[in-house]
């Protein structure tokens, strides 16, 4: 099996890819920010209702932490995009063969052998290839012809990285 395809740079696709890669982390930051803000507001109303003036600082700290977590989410998204741009703003060539998956560009070349790939997450637009606990490589599906996409998916299924029936997210 040897499948090779090229992917042109596309900033909008890169933004979607980075958002999907980091969606769970961003959800946790948002949830924690909202929880801290809510807890701070509840404690504030209890402190006011109980006329406990010195305790007003505690709810303020919770609210400040909540605001910080929510702002961290926005700053982190921008930082991730800036960091990824030099690597992703180039024509990339992907190769899937019996050894593993290779991504080549003008700046770098990366090969992940089948033995090192721990999981593949399939979405409607991408295959996210995980090595260990990290998302290591992203294959955009729209640039793979349907017959070759079926072969690539079959290789993932054969190695136990994907279920036999597609569960697109």
């Amino acid at each position: 099996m040897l499948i090779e395809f090229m992917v042109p740079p596309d900033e909008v696709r890169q933004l979607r890819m980075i958002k999907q890669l980091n969606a769970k982390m961003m959800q946790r930051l948002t949830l924690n920010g909202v929880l801290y803000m809510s807890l701070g507001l509840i404690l504030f109303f209890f402190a006011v209702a109980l006329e406990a003036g010195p305790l007003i600082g505690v709810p303020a700290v919770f609210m400040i932490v909540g605001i910080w977590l929510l702002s961290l989410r926005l700053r982190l998204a921008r930082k991730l995009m800036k960091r990824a741009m030099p690597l992703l703003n180039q024509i990339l060539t992907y190769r899937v063969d019996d050894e593993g998956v290779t991504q080549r560009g003008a700046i770098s070349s990366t090969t992940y052998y089948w033995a090192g790939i721990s999981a593949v997450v399939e979405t409607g637009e991408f295959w996210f290839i995980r090595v260990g606990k990290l998302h290591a490589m992203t294959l955009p599906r729209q640039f793979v012809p349907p017959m070759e996409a079926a072969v690539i998916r079959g290789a993932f299924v054969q190695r136990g990285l994907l279920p036999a029936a597609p569960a697109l997210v």
Side-chain angles (χ1 to χ4, degrees), residues 1 3 8 11-12 21-22 24 30 39-40 52 55 66 70 73 80 101-102 117 120 126 136 140 145 148 158 164-165:
M1 164 190 62
I3 297 173
E11 193 171 316
V12 175
L21 279 171
N22 298 295
K24 288 186 180 186
T30 303
L39 186 58
L55 295 178
L70 291 172
R73 178 190 191 284
L80 288 169
V101 182
T102 302
I117 298 174
V120 175
F126 303 107
E148 292 178 345
Q158 177 186 359

Side-chain angles (χ1 to χ4, degrees), residues 3-139:
I3 297 173
E4 197 165 288
F5 59 97
M6 291 177 54
V7 176
D10 178 6
E11 193 171 316
V12 175
R13 184 184 68 246
Q14 294 163 7
L15 282 169
R16 287 192 309 269
M17 179 184 70
I18 289 171
K19 285 180 183 178
Q20 285 184 0
L21 279 171
N22 298 295
K24 288 186 180 186
M25 177 181 57
M26 296 299 182
Q27 286 174 346
R28 282 193 303 267
L29 284 173
T30 303
L31 180 63
N32 287 335
V34 169
L35 286 174
Y36 273 93
M37 294 262 313
S38 301
L39 186 58
L41 283 172
I42 291 168
L43 290 174
F44 175 77
F45 287 122
F46 274 121
V48 168
L50 297 173
E51 297 177 6
L55 295 178
I56 296 281
V58 174
V61 169
F62 276 96
M63 287 189 275
I64 290 170
V65 169
I67 291 169
W68 179 78
L69 286 171
L70 291 172
S71 70
L72 178 65
R73 178 190 191 284
L74 297 173
R75 289 179 296 167
L76 191 59
R78 282 191 214 115
K79 188 174 186 174
L80 288 169
M81 187 60 193
K82 283 182 185 177
R83 185 183 303 161
M85 280 309 288
L87 295 174
L88 298 175
N89 202 14
Q90 59 181 324
I91 295 174
L92 297 173
T93 302
Y94 292 92
R95 178 184 174 128
V96 180
D97 57 22
D98 292 331
E99 290 184 14
V101 182
T102 302
Q103 176 188 43
R104 280 191 320 269
I107 297 173
S108 66
S109 177
T110 306
T111 299
Y112 293 107
Y113 298 100
W114 292 116
I117 298 174
S118 60
V120 175
V121 177
E122 184 176 34
T123 68
E125 188 174 8
F126 303 107
W127 282 303
F128 294 111
I129 299 175
R130 289 181 161 186
V131 176
K133 291 188 177 186
L134 301 174
H135 291 285
M137 188 183 296
T138 305
L139 271 75

